[in-house]
Amino acid sequence: MDIKAYNNLENINKGKLPNKIVECFAPYHFEKSGYPTKIKKLNELSKYFDVMQENRYFQNIESLQHITDEEFQILKKIANKIKNFSNSFNKFSLGRNTITRCLISKRIIDNFLNKKSTILEIGPGSGYFASFAYETNIKYYGMEITQAFYLYQSKFYKKVYNEDYANLAETKNEKKINQIPWWEWVSNKIKIKFDLIVANHVLCEMNSNSLIYTFKKSIDLFKNPEEKIIVSEGIGSREFSSPEHVVYLLKNIGWNLVHANENIYIFVHNSSSKKFINNMKYKRKFNFQYLRYIIRNDKKNILNSF
């Protein structure tokens, strides 16, 4: 997809949608922080080869501790694809910060998936988690609201995966890797089903109403209604929001936090089966920060917060 086609489609659909929806699905955090969200020329995509995880490569390797032969082969294959893509811009990148971070996330969600599973990722960034899904035979959907990232993903997927990639802004024929533009997501034109939601480094960066809409809508889109789960490896920048705010908003629409350790947040919906909910429970520590949040924002639920 080229810049003009994306901008035209987005503008046409913005004109059809209420102002509140358009506001909610603007890149809230990026615009407040001044991060570049739009490009005017395709060569600007070279700025997005390995972003949002800058300077984390050695930290990621330390967190992984040991990389198996299978994992190394996947990393090598994806890194070569990124290198070849970057070469088309006369640049060099292996995406090493981002793909090693993706591997951490992959290890987590592998506990909940099988080889015929389908995932939905919210806020894919440079989009490399789709590559891990592809290499392990997982069907992938990614929903992105930022023009620059959507176009980067589109160009990367088209060059690397070609016939196995579908841009759902232009077609309804799904493939192994599927891109969802935000206006199709909010207009309910796309009917998808998945087994798990991935939301890495994004929950604290979402507009509150966008977060509520997205995760309320997703409740009825799980293939298995008894196992509804969100996995977040990294909750996102806390500059304009907080984990307590995210947990509170999700809890109000039935998504209960069942794990929060090592910056890994896992939510299970209360409409899942009792067996699944019980299997996912963990021993909670008393959270004074969350209690303070409830006291400030929702005094009537102080007892529930305990």
Side-chain angles (χ1 to χ4, degrees):
M1 173 174 261
D2 62 29
I3 299 170
K4 185 177 179 180
Y6 179 93
N7 290 343
N8 284 343
L9 278 172
E10 183 175 50
N11 289 332
I12 288 168
N13 284 279
K14 277 183 176 180
K16 298 176 182 177
L17 293 166
N19 289 342
K20 195 66 179 177
I21 295 291
V22 174
E23 174 192 354
C24 291
F25 283 85
Y28 165 80
H29 175 83
F30 288 158
E31 290 182 349
K32 291 188 75 171
S33 66
Y35 192 86
T37 61
K38 292 182 180 290
I39 61 166
K40 294 182 178 179
K41 296 180 179 180
L42 281 178
N43 62 6
E44 294 177 59
L45 291 178
S46 63
K47 300 191 296 183
Y48 298 88
F49 291 137
D50 193 12
V51 293
M52 311 314 295
Q53 303 296 327
E54 288 90 341
N55 303 316
R56 286 185 171 179
Y57 173 71
F58 292 106
Q59 176 190 336
N60 296 341
I61 294 298
E62 184 177 349
S63 296
L64 288 163
Q65 295 185 355
H66 173 73
I67 296 176
T68 67
D69 290 341
E70 181 183 3
E71 288 173 338
F72 180 75
Q73 291 306 317
I74 292 173
L75 283 172
K76 183 178 176 181
K77 186 180 289 189
I78 296 171
N80 277 324
K81 293 181 187 300
I82 297 168
K83 182 188 75 171
N84 292 336
F85 183 64
S86 68
N87 287 345
S88 65
F89 290 84
N90 295 315
K91 303 283 186 180
F92 174 83
S93 177
L94 297 173
R96 68 176 194 168
N97 295 292
T98 310
I99 64 173
T100 50
R101 197 74 190 185
C102 284
L103 181 55
I104 296 173
S105 180
K106 181 184 178 300
R107 283 186 178 178
I108 299 163
I109 72 165
D110 276 353
N111 292 290
F112 309 104
L113 299 178
N114 57 54
K115 288 195 173 182
K116 293 184 178 179
S117 295
T118 300
I119 64 171
L120 168 67
E121 183 174 21
I122 305 298
S126 296
Y128 300 146
F129 198 82
S131 297
F132 283 86
Y134 184 88
E135 297 299 337
T136 51
N137 202 28
I138 302 296
K139 187 175 182 180
Y140 174 90
Y141 297 99
M143 198 280 284
E144 179 62 64
I145 67 170
T146 304
Q147 183 245 38
F149 279 122
Y150 195 96
L151 290 170
Y152 181 88
Q153 296 160 24
S154 173
K155 293 297 182 184
F156 177 70
Y157 297 154
K158 183 64 178 174
K159 182 175 178 61
V160 174
Y161 302 108
N162 195 14
E163 296 300 319
D164 287 327
Y165 156 65
N167 183 342
L168 299 185
E170 301 176 315
T171 179
K172 297 298 182 285
N173 297 320
E174 295 179 11
K175 301 292 180 66
K176 288 185 70 175
I177 293 178
N178 303 279
Q179 249 189 318
I180 305 173
W182 67 267
W183 58 84
E184 295 286 343
W185 175 250
V186 301
S187 63
N188 293 316
K189 292 178 182 177
I190 294 177
K191 307 297 182 183
I192 63 172
K193 289 286 186 178
F194 43 79
D195 298 285
L196 179 143
I197 298 176
V198 180
N200 295 332
H201 307 275
V202 71
L203 294 178
C204 275
E205 299 177 10
M206 295 177 73
N207 175 292
S208 294
N209 289 322
S210 173
L211 183 141
I212 292 168
Y213 178 91
T214 294
F215 293 106
K216 192 171 184 179
K217 172 185 173 123
S218 68
I219 294 167
D220 297 322
L221 299 179
F222 282 82
K223 287 182 183 177
N224 183 353
E226 295 192 348
E227 297 183 3
K228 300 174 183 177
I229 183 169
I230 302 168
V231 177
S232 173
E233 184 284 300
I235 204 162
S237 170
R238 293 161 167 79
E239 187 175 2
F240 306 116
S241 185
S242 69
E244 292 74 38
H245 180 62
V246 169
V247 170
Y248 175 75
L249 293 179
L250 288 175
K251 188 176 188 299
N252 281 347
I253 54 173
W255 286 105
N256 295 311
L257 182 68
V258 297
H259 180 88
N261 192 24
E262 301 290 333
N263 209 25
I264 299 163
Y265 290 74
I266 299 177
F267 300 85
V268 169
H269 198 263
N270 58 21
S271 62
S272 302
S273 70
K274 289 183 179 179
K275 180 181 178 180
F276 185 66
I277 292 171
N278 288 333
N279 286 343
M280 294 299 297
K281 281 184 178 178
Y282 79 116
K283 188 175 181 179
R284 299 168 187 266
K285 295 180 180 178
F286 194 85
N287 190 320
F288 287 100
Q289 285 180 294
Y290 188 70
L291 181 59
R292 282 197 294 272
Y293 180 89
I294 297 295
I295 291 171
R296 287 198 309 270
N297 297 283
D298 195 10
K299 292 182 174 63
K300 66 181 180 180
N301 280 319
I302 291 175
L303 290 178
N304 286 340
S305 73
F306 279 92

